[in-house]
Amino acid sequence: MGPDPAVAAVRHAVRGALASLPPGAMVLAACSGGADSLALAGALAFEAPRSGRPAGAVTVDHGLQEGSGARADTVVRVLTGLGLDPVGSVAVTVGAEGGMENAARNARYAALDEVAQRFDAAAVLLGHTRDDQAETVLLGLARGSGTRSLSGMGSSFTRTCSTPERVATVLYQRPLLELGRATVRRACLAMGLEPWDDPHNDDPVYTRVRVRHEALPVLEKALGPGVAEALARTARMLRDDADALDELAEAAYADLTASEQAGPTRGGDGPRALVTLRLDGLGDLPRAVRTRVLRMAAIEAGSPPGTLAAVHVDAMDRLVTAWHGQRHVDLPGGLRTFRRYGRLLFGPA
């Protein structure tokens, strides 16, 4: 008799992720002790030896709840019992910048980056599911932040990390992104693993929790079942669109900035430009490509991506397509975009 269908589905997903990695390379699972990441760790412990790869796991203690250290120790014991090696926990200090959720995420990824580099891991596996994807899409929709935000989470991504010795990239994979949370939880229980249910996952102070327990159930009731699957499917299609548009924008940006990185503006009558775009050709681009080029230029000049909003991009776009002598656009990070001599320049305010 074969495994429970839910277990088979999770193992199949992990097997596919491992197949894309170099033979014999170390793989790590990030595990909080919740059902999703425990099922992921259990599947990795089963599949990695069969693919000839060493596999370990790490849990991050954010220190945000009483007894979090003891909980991390329990997770380590469970992961060790699965046969994963190396296994360990990392305690982090969560700051306050950008809100607790954002600060905790930043601290967690920094810790995972460090562990992955220490063990020269080919990839770190994350336990995000299709339901997490649906929640991410709804949150992006509420922010009104465009195609890239609505495309949700990718099945993989890389982070660049710097140490005194080297600059390295860490690959992260989300093998369970096409599986529903209920399936993954059933797999966890069928493996004989007892998950820990984080009380933060039910605390309505967090926007994602309200989306999970209030918004999505209302949509399911009003529109019928399958909303999470439809949102995840929409995210996948929008990601393809966003990737294609980004490629076009990168090519256009390279063409419009070629030989255009400027010193002082002509005649010394303006500030030094950090990034310069030729207006000739910029205005002819489709808006979806043009606004991406403008955003790229602003970020390259030093404007923080997290605070560069649609209102800034729209104002920059008007300097190109609806210019009536307006002088400049102020950008986050103390920067300014202005139009001079057939160029759009991005420099210090």
Side-chain angles (χ1 to χ4, degrees), residues 24-29 41-42 44-46 48-49 52-58 75-88 115 118-121:
M26 168 67 71
V27 184
L28 298 174
L44 179 62
F46 181 86
R53 292 176 175 84
V58 59
V75 174
V76 167
R77 287 195 296 272
V78 171
L79 296 171
T80 302
L82 290 171
L84 295 167
D85 183 36
V87 170
V115 173
R118 189 194 319 160
F119 291 104
D120 197 23

Side-chain angles (χ1 to χ4, degrees), residues 167-224:
V167 176
T169 59
V170 177
L171 172 66
Y172 289 85
Q173 293 184 317
R174 297 183 174 105
L176 309 184
L177 207 55
E178 297 296 324
L179 299 178
R181 185 176 291 139
T183 297
V184 176
R185 185 177 184 87
R186 187 166 69 248
C188 178
L189 299 175
M191 292 180 198
L193 301 173
E194 184 177 349
W196 172 62
D197 293 318
D198 186 346
H200 281 170
N201 290 335
D202 293 314
D203 189 343
V205 72
Y206 300 110
T207 307
R208 182 175 287 271
V209 172
R210 296 196 299 274
V211 168
R212 180 176 304 167
H213 294 300
E214 299 176 26
L216 272 171
V218 167
L219 288 174
E220 293 272 1
K221 182 178 179 180
L223 303 176

Side-chain angles (χ1 to χ4, degrees), residues 14 26 33 51 53 76 81 86 103 106 123 190 194 250 255 281 289 325 331 347:
V14 170
M26 168 67 71
S51 69
R53 292 176 175 84
V76 167
N106 290 339
E194 184 177 349
E250 287 167 5
D255 176 62
V289 177
L331 302 174

Side-chain angles (χ1 to χ4, degrees), residues 38 94 130 187 222 232 261 288 291 315 321 328 346:
L38 262 186
V94 177
R130 185 173 60 203
Q261 301 313 309
T291 53
T321 61
H328 60 258
F346 299 74

Side-chain angles (χ1 to χ4, degrees), residues 6 8 10 12 42 64 81 94 123 164 228 256 314:
V10 173
H12 178 76
L64 297 175
V94 177
L256 293 168
D314 287 344

